[in-house]
Amino acid sequence: MLDLSRERRRMVDVHLSRRGIHDREILEAMREVPREAFVDPGYEEFAYEDGPLPIAEDQTISQPYIVAFMLEMAQVNPGDQVLEVGTGSGYAAAVISRIVDHVYTIERHAGLAETARRRFEKLGYRNIKVRTGDGTKGWPEAAPFDAIIVAASGPGAPLALQQQLDVGGRLIIPVGEDPEEQRLLKVTRTGASTYSEEDFGAVRFVPLIGEEGWREDDRIRTGRAPSHLPTRSLPQMIGAAVEPLPEIDDPAFAEAFDRFAERRLVLLGEASHGTSEFYRARAAITRRLIEKHGFAIVAVEADWPDAAAIDRYVRHRRHSPAAVRPFQRFPAWMWRNTEVAAFVDWLRNHNQRVRPSKHRAGFYGLDIYNMSGSIAAVLDYLDRVDPEAAAIARQRYGCLTPWQKEPSTYGRAALSSGYRECEEAVLKQCRDMLARQIEHAGKDGAELFDAAQNARLIASAERYYRVMYYGGSQSWNLRDTHMFETLQHILDARGPNARAVVWAHNSHIGERALHRDGNLAG
Ligand code: SAH
């Protein structure tokens, strides 16, 4: 047999030490393991070039530098328990076995696993266990691991592997869609349910095929991800993105959202109408953002005048006796439930302590559907502050009176009768209210803002119901636009540093919010 020990020492010196690998244990292990014993017959003389080499099943033995680099990233120490996914030739596992006490390695191709097993035996490396199977699921019986090294690139860090890390444990994995280039990630488990992630730059690996990797038929034939087809199933994508969270009532649950503390908008969709658990989780996150991070707006997918009743309550403002009973419209359960009630009471208590009172957190509705409630609110406001203006407004809104109970029939009627009159009337009223707002800037703040917002809503709703009659997407877009603009008005009204938590389907405002300030979270 060729004596390649000189080449081996040279490889460690030239390709590893001089390229920045400093860990003594790693360098020593790489001086010891005969890489030539892990390449296919005929390739021995290339064993100490710093490059990958082909092995059976169309796979490769990793480049020595990358093996050393991954081990250094993983900070492997004597005494560690290490899992490797992608045994391949067995070379990396052999190197690891010279540093730590126990190595577990998984290979999906039985033939490769068997060859590697024979190599370890021949070399007398007895602290390596080899298994054939899908390494994306890890090796639960041997967990937890101090380090997990994945030698093939997947769509994301498999959840099972993250969960099999000990606290403080490190997972090293190449990740990315592009078969030519992926990112080498290090995921560190920092706590029972917390992880941190670092990116160590571009690399190129063979694909990780498995339940939490790629699908075999996508990639293996060509070795390329088809550019026109999704390469990951939805569960895979969700699996790659999710993080386990503590129980909702555990204080650590809401703390996990502190990372969004600096955002202007936190959108807690996608399920604005959900289960009790979802409502409690949403409330816990919102409480934390308000209490610890100064958020002062909760904007929800409820009608403006209805939410305004809650807003008056939580901000200790005057109850409006004229207002009709809020939250009557279907689906009433969406807001009339114990979880929302508990949150509302919490907010009222919290606000009690907030000084000055203008900094109290408010509760606002973004939606458009309670036109009659908005009309009543505008009239109520004007009756109190300007009875003459109230009389004019009453006349203008009178145009809509026949449809207030059943606004969805308005569109049809508007076709035949002179709807333009109605449109003109509500727009005039809206303009008047906005002019009043400018005129009285600074005075009567919350009350006038509420009334003006109702006037806006009536104008949007008039169009909405008219357009709805024709069907199609226009009315839907109109509603979404109204919701987003309402959010903007609330932010403007609450000042330059105002920050909002939004409880609405993200589709209503997420897109626009993203385009507006690229500052979207959640
Ligand atoms: N560590 C090896 C590198 C092997 S290349 C060495 O030093 O030579 C990556 C290996 O991962 C291939 O052998 C491939 O078959 C294997 N692989 C891909 N997906 C896998 C999966 N889900 N589970 C286990 N092995 C996998």
Side-chain angles (χ1 to χ4, degrees):
M1 188 155 172
L2 285 164
D3 180 5
L4 296 169
S5 52
R6 268 191 57 206
E7 275 77 357
R8 197 175 311 136
R9 280 199 301 279
R10 189 184 152 275
M11 183 270 285
V12 171
D13 181 23
V14 174
H15 297 304
L16 306 183
S17 296
R18 291 195 214 167
R19 278 182 73 185
I21 304 291
H22 297 308
D23 188 298
R24 289 172 152 274
E25 317 263 12
I26 297 172
L27 295 174
E28 201 43 56
M30 306 253 316
R31 276 190 204 104
E32 184 184 336
V33 177
R35 193 169 184 249
E36 67 273 27
F38 292 85
V39 301
D40 282 3
Y43 283 99
E44 290 89 346
E45 61 179 304
F46 304 110
Y48 295 105
E49 307 280 356
D50 187 39
L53 290 171
I55 57 175
E57 305 284 358
D58 246 353
Q59 303 300 322
T60 54
I61 169 172
S62 300
Q63 173 188 0
Y65 174 76
I66 198 80
V67 172
F69 184 62
M70 287 172 93
L71 294 182
E72 209 167 57
M73 271 171 80
Q75 297 156 289
V76 286
N77 285 309
D80 276 354
Q81 172 119 324
V82 179
L83 172 67
E84 187 208 21
V85 174
T87 317
S89 67
Y91 174 68
V95 172
I96 302 167
S97 78
R98 302 302 86 200
I99 304 169
V100 308
D101 289 347
H102 298 287
V103 184
Y104 296 81
T105 179
I106 311 177
E107 169 57 52
R108 61 188 287 269
H109 291 292
L112 289 175
E114 189 43 45
T115 310
R117 204 176 277 126
R118 276 205 304 273
R119 286 170 176 155
F120 301 145
E121 214 171 289
K122 206 163 157 195
L123 289 162
Y125 297 171
R126 295 187 209 291
N127 57 343
I128 310 173
K129 291 204 168 63
V130 188
R131 171 185 276 187
T132 303
D134 178 5
T136 66
K137 293 190 280 193
W139 193 315
E141 314 87 274
F145 297 99
D146 301 289
I148 301 178
I149 314 269
V150 184
S153 67
L159 199 58
L161 297 184
Q162 297 189 44
Q163 286 168 344
Q164 288 173 33
L165 284 175
D166 206 345
V167 172
R170 293 81 56 196
L171 165 65
I172 312 297
I173 180 169
V175 162
E177 305 268 357
D178 184 348
E180 309 294 333
E181 189 182 285
Q182 304 97 35
R183 313 292 305 176
L184 193 57
L185 296 189
K186 172 175 178 176
V187 178
T188 305
R189 184 168 197 168
T190 52
S193 54
T194 50
Y195 296 85
S196 68
E197 191 179 294
E198 288 165 88
D199 184 332
F200 281 81
V203 287
R204 183 177 174 182
F205 278 78
V206 296
L208 179 70
I209 313 277
E211 203 167 290
E212 285 196 57
W214 305 102
R215 287 199 313 252
E216 184 155 22
D217 51 339
D218 284 342
R219 312 252 306 199
I220 205 147
R221 251 172 293 135
T222 58
R224 303 182 72 91
S227 54
H228 56 288
L229 288 174
T231 46
R232 290 192 277 173
S233 68
L234 196 54
Q236 281 173 331
M237 287 194 278
I238 294 171
V242 293
E243 278 175 46
L245 286 169
E247 289 298 315
I248 297 166
D249 299 319
D250 185 330
F253 172 81
E255 281 165 26
F257 295 83
D258 285 350
R259 69 189 82 167
F260 303 122
E262 299 305 318
R263 304 295 174 127
R264 188 157 151 80
L265 296 178
V266 172
L267 309 187
L268 295 182
E270 202 30 56
S272 55
H273 329 308
T275 59
S276 169
E277 288 78 9
F278 176 78
Y279 275 39
R280 285 195 297 122
R282 185 172 67 179
I285 299 162
T286 307
R287 285 197 306 265
R288 175 113 188 145
L289 292 174
I290 291 173
E291 203 166 24
K292 298 274 184 244
H293 305 299
F295 281 67
I297 295 167
V298 183
V300 311
E301 193 172 328
D303 295 319
W304 178 272
D306 304 67
I310 292 184
D311 185 54
R312 281 190 286 272
Y313 176 71
V314 299
R315 287 205 278 162
H316 303 266
R317 286 169 43 214
R318 192 186 63 83
H319 173 62
S320 174
V324 275
R325 226 167 115 75
F327 299 105
Q328 297 296 311
R329 167 175 84 77
F330 172 85
W333 54 261
M334 207 162 101
W335 302 107
R336 299 174 73 106
N337 57 63
T338 48
E339 290 79 7
V340 171
F343 175 79
V344 164
D345 280 329
W346 174 86
L347 191 52
R348 183 177 159 87
N349 280 335
H350 167 80
N351 276 339
Q352 183 103 55
R353 299 186 295 274
V354 176
R355 295 280 182 280
S357 61
K358 68 172 184 187
H359 289 152
R360 288 176 174 164
F363 191 89
Y364 306 87
L366 301 174
D367 222 338
I368 203 174
Y369 290 119
N370 192 357
M371 184 165 76
S372 62
S374 285
I375 292 176
V378 173
L379 297 179
D380 174 53
Y381 174 77
L382 290 176
D383 278 339
R384 275 186 285 118
V385 302
D386 188 346
E388 256 173 61
I392 298 173
R394 211 165 247 114
Q395 201 182 3
R396 285 173 176 159
Y397 288 149
C399 175
L400 292 167
T401 309
W403 293 281
Q404 278 197 29
K405 287 237 147 37
E406 218 42 80
S408 53
T409 56
Y410 170 64
R412 181 153 193 278
L415 270 187
S416 49
S417 56
Y419 75 80
R420 291 230 158 261
E421 275 171 42
C422 261
E423 184 188 10
E424 233 177 270
V426 298
L427 286 177
K428 265 198 191 132
Q429 189 56 38
C430 182
R431 256 181 251 125
D432 280 5
M433 292 303 291
L434 299 181
R436 181 179 286 269
Q437 222 187 348
I438 293 167
E439 203 181 310
H440 293 71
K443 278 179 278 163
D444 213 6
E447 298 287 319
L448 182 50
F449 175 66
D450 176 45
Q453 203 52 45
N454 275 308
R456 278 195 166 109
L457 186 147
I458 300 158
S460 293
E462 186 276 335
R463 268 190 77 199
Y464 174 82
Y465 288 117
R466 183 151 42 81
V467 168
M468 195 175 80
Y469 179 69
Y470 301 104
S473 58
Q474 214 188 339
S475 62
W476 190 261
N477 288 339
L478 213 144
R479 175 175 168 231
D480 283 357
T481 304
H482 174 84
M483 288 172 83
F484 179 65
E485 286 174 356
T486 303
L487 180 61
Q488 271 184 311
H489 295 314
I490 301 166
L491 286 166
D492 291 346
R494 295 297 305 252
N497 298 320
R499 284 175 300 146
V501 186
V502 181
W503 296 359
H505 286 133
N506 289 341
S507 58
H508 293 308
I509 40 179
E511 275 274 292
R512 289 175 179 81
L514 187 60
H515 291 153
R516 181 173 174 252
D517 55 13
N519 200 9
L520 179 76

